Amino acid sequence: MIDAKIKNLEALKELGVDPYPYTYKVTHHAGDLQKKYEGLTDGEVTEDVVAVAGRIMSNRNSGMFIDLHDATGKIQIFSHKQDVPADVLAQMAYYDIGDLIGVEGIVRRTPRGELTINTKKVTMLGKSIRPLPEKYHGIHDTELKYRKRYLDLIMSTESRDTFRRRSLILASLRKTLIDTGFLEVETPMLHPIPGGTSAKPFLTHHNALDMELYLRIAPELYLKRLIVGGFERIFEIGRNLRNEGISVKHNPEFTALEVYQAFADYTDMMTLFEQLVVNAVKDTHDGATKITYGDRDIEFKGPWPRKTMVELVKDVTGIDFLQITDADAAAKAADKAGVAIQPGSPWGKIVETVFGEKVEHTLIQPMIVTDVPKDVMPLAKVHPENPLLTESFEIYINGWEIGPAFSELNDPFDQKDRFMKQVEAREAGDEEAQHLDMDYVEALEYGMPPTGGLGLGVDRLVMLLTDSHSIRDVIAFPTLRNVTK
RNA sequence: GACUCCGUAGCUCAGCGGUAGAGCAUCUGACUUUUAAUCAGAGGGUCCUGGGUUCGAAUCCCAGCGGGGUCACCA
């Protein structure tokens, strides 16, 4: 199978052709040509000479017709044995499907309506010695698709488009932020104390320092240290790593956006969150705010409705947890509603659990779920009207949490108390309770301005905006078990 | 991690106790304005791995490996 192609490679070398040359001067791309010559009528021939480069994807009539694909699209190459110099034809005899070539020639449209380049000159740019997947069905084997993403990208326009749009989304998020005065910053991936969220970390070791380090589960505490340092508007886009399960919505490493704005609170974050997402939708959907995900339509146009978490729980279950503030009574009420609660859970955890089971999946259109209980938000400011709640919200779209936001807790005394509660929970067996970070508390002791912050799960946003139904379809190289050949 | 489905040619798949199959791709030839080109022919297999049942296993059973899905943890 490979042998035949290697034979062709040897034959090319015999002809004095370098099968792996260094560069090639491309003058045009297939997609641009298709657009430029849209008005060219069937059978019309131009005198325009162009040089294109790409991969041979199809070969008809013994090589007389070649489909060449580049990053922008497809164009047909026509090489008639009467019109093409013998030495060019001789070389082309050893071209295979999968080869990367450059073609110089004139542009025309065939009588059958296909935009075509009449070959004058060809250049081998990269010989392929392996067969491509089946041209019509492409890759169906999900494992092959994820392990050899390059094959998926060669074969699937949908997949290429997904990753192109992923890039557009990242650019859009950056643009929205930079345009409103935010600075992009970078904080460590290696943390001596894992912090900023509740999750199981990966542990690693630094040899020279002979020190245990955790891969970051969130950049939050470092970003807020920068706010203490005087930056007023900052953001970071980067990978978070969590040693947790893998699912259609979870990859051990995933991309998150975190934003912090000094002298702002969670209501400012509501506006900003909406702006970030709506701009990303528009930038990937030709200005439209409505998208289709699977068989449902989602309208992103704001303002998004705002409802408190307990309200939403009440709407669905009839239980008003504001009236049941005793943890044991709340657990009983949850149990009655058919939601199993881990014994010893505090009130806020119970509310969150019931919300997760009963409400979350119903929130298809964008919804701002506000006032998340204090028990599950150890880094957020207490709600001034209810000490059980925080000034916070979570954005839900398509039944998924896209990200949390809150008024950042800047009271070092309260923060230390909250950390101590987390330590207690950890000692009681909650593996994901947060660690005490006294260095962070010390930073707060120097004074942090009132600050609003938000986090956004970029991969999930990309899934939504590319109609992808697995996170592995929006991460080029998702985490898979290693296989040794 | 539990449950469940899947693993056959480079790819997409059929076969599901009795000699290993098709299409695309590859090779040879024909054709030379095709576009999933077409036509004639050829080559190509550790049927994921290892055990077991059986006269006989791709096929049935067990274990393992890899993947998908659901659940659990979580964004």
Side-chain angles (χ1 to χ4, degrees):
Chain A
M1 181 54 70
I2 295 177
D3 289 357
K5 298 191 175 210
I6 290 183
K7 253 164 96 182
N8 286 343
L9 182 143
E10 295 302 335
L12 284 171
K13 281 186 183 165
E14 289 285 313
L15 291 178
V17 172
D18 177 2
Y20 303 105
Y22 288 76
T23 185
Y24 183 74
K25 192 139 184 81
V26 176
T27 65
H28 292 79
H29 282 88
D32 302 334
L33 291 173
Q34 296 288 359
K35 231 175 253 162
K36 184 174 172 192
Y37 291 101
E38 226 164 22
L40 203 63
T41 56
D42 293 356
E44 200 177 341
V45 183
T46 74
E47 293 187 349
D48 305 348
V49 177
V50 297
V52 297
R55 191 183 296 275
I56 299 176
M57 292 302 287
S58 173
N59 170 338
R60 295 178 291 282
N61 293 54
S62 313
M64 185 165 67
F65 295 99
I66 284 173
D67 283 345
L68 196 71
H69 288 214
D70 68 16
T72 64
K74 173 196 122 173
I75 191 148
Q76 180 169 268
I77 306 301
F78 179 79
S79 318
H80 197 283
K81 54 185 174 190
Q82 286 179 347
D83 306 332
V84 177
D87 60 318
V88 172
L89 276 179
Q91 188 183 147
M92 289 183 77
Y94 303 114
Y95 285 7
D96 291 304
I97 288 176
D99 289 353
L100 296 158
I101 62 166
V103 178
E104 215 182 297
I106 60 130
V107 180
R108 68 167 174 120
R109 191 174 294 283
T110 65
R112 300 277 187 99
E114 189 73 35
L115 191 70
T116 298
I117 295 173
N118 276 6
T119 306
K120 275 192 154 59
K121 209 175 139 192
V122 290
T123 311
M124 171 55 63
L125 298 176
K127 186 80 186 123
S128 168
I129 55 165
R130 285 182 185 272
L132 290 177
E134 206 258 358
K135 65 181 165 190
Y136 187 61
H137 299 90
I139 296 179
H140 271 204
D141 183 334
T142 47
E143 184 175 357
L144 184 65
K145 179 165 114 175
Y146 299 143
R147 285 196 196 280
K148 299 183 196 279
R149 178 68 81 183
Y150 49 91
L151 288 181
D152 174 43
L153 291 169
I154 289 171
M155 301 308 296
S156 163
T157 47
E158 290 80 18
S159 192
R160 282 198 300 277
D161 191 53
T162 294
F163 288 102
R164 190 184 60 83
R165 276 151 91 180
R166 183 182 175 108
S167 174
L168 291 181
I169 290 163
L170 285 165
S172 175
L173 294 172
R174 285 199 165 91
K175 183 172 191 315
T176 301
L177 289 162
I178 288 166
D179 283 355
T180 44
F182 285 85
L183 295 181
E184 181 164 9
V185 298
E186 293 176 285
T187 63
M189 301 286 297
L190 297 169
H191 291 189
I193 300 168
T197 188
S198 308
K200 287 189 206 109
F202 287 95
L203 183 60
T204 188
H205 184 264
H206 188 273
N207 291 339
L209 294 174
D210 189 21
M211 179 171 76
E212 304 280 89
L213 285 164
Y214 297 92
L215 306 186
R216 80 165 169 208
I217 53 176
E220 174 151 351
L221 300 185
Y222 286 95
L223 289 167
K224 287 196 276 196
R225 283 175 172 98
L226 292 179
I227 294 288
V228 169
F231 287 105
E232 293 186 7
R233 289 176 179 231
I234 54 170
F235 72 96
E236 178 164 14
I237 292 175
R239 231 68 67 77
N240 289 343
L241 299 111
R242 299 186 187 171
N243 206 338
E244 287 162 354
I246 292 174
S247 82
V248 283
K249 280 193 296 183
H250 301 87
N251 195 63
E253 52 179 310
F254 63 99
T255 301
L257 163 70
E258 286 203 12
V259 183
Y260 293 88
Q261 180 178 344
F263 313 114
D265 69 3
Y266 75 141
T267 59
D268 299 297
M269 292 302 103
M270 291 181 199
T271 314
L272 180 59
F273 210 124
E274 210 174 284
Q275 219 183 332
L276 283 165
V277 173
V278 170
N279 287 349
V281 173
K282 286 181 177 168
D283 288 348
T284 46
H285 290 78
D286 297 319
T289 55
K290 193 173 178 178
I291 68 153
T292 301
Y293 185 88
D295 54 8
R296 51 176 64 138
D297 291 332
I298 299 174
E299 175 57 76
F300 285 86
K301 201 173 162 206
W304 297 345
R306 304 173 181 188
K307 279 201 164 183
T308 71
M309 188 174 275
V310 281
E311 251 181 300
L312 284 161
V313 168
K314 191 176 157 196
D315 289 350
V316 173
T317 66
I319 303 167
D320 183 358
F321 278 100
L322 286 184
Q323 304 302 319
I324 313 170
T325 56
D326 173 68
D328 289 341
K332 276 199 190 103
D335 195 58
K336 229 176 172 176
V339 179
I341 300 293
Q342 263 202 326
S345 295
W347 177 84
K349 179 85 192 158
I350 295 164
V351 174
E352 190 198 38
T353 305
V354 175
F355 173 83
E357 295 254 325
K358 294 290 177 184
V359 183
E360 195 173 304
H361 66 274
T362 69
L363 304 177
I364 305 306
Q365 302 303 318
M367 169 72 80
I368 303 176
V369 179
T370 66
D371 300 1
V372 182
K374 179 184 163 188
D375 296 323
V376 294
M377 299 292 266
L379 302 167
K381 262 184 136 88
V382 171
H383 200 288
E385 283 160 26
N386 187 336
L388 290 174
L389 305 175
T390 56
E391 274 205 355
S392 61
F393 66 91
E394 292 170 343
I395 300 295
Y396 285 83
I397 306 170
N398 196 39
W400 307 338
E401 188 191 342
I402 301 299
F406 39 89
S407 299
E408 304 296 334
L409 178 53
N410 62 344
D411 174 344
F413 300 98
D414 192 2
Q415 184 63 77
K416 193 178 169 192
D417 285 350
R418 306 274 198 100
F419 274 140
M420 295 319 290
K421 283 234 167 55
Q422 290 291 310
V423 171
E424 278 170 36
R426 167 165 296 276
E427 280 164 0
D430 182 355
E431 268 188 274
E432 293 182 6
Q434 301 193 18
H435 291 69
L436 170 63
D437 188 340
M438 278 311 290
D439 181 73
Y440 174 67
V441 173
E442 185 179 327
L444 293 185
E445 287 171 353
Y446 283 95
M448 180 170 90
T451 298
L454 71 79
L456 188 157
V458 173
D459 307 286
R460 287 189 183 175
L461 183 63
V462 176
M463 283 173 72
L464 268 179
L465 303 192
T466 57
D467 197 14
S468 299
H469 294 249
S470 168
I471 198 166
R472 296 181 196 92
D473 293 328
V474 303
I475 294 174
F477 301 99
T479 308
L480 294 180
R481 215 178 278 273
N482 188 35
V483 282
T484 46
K485 277 194 196 167

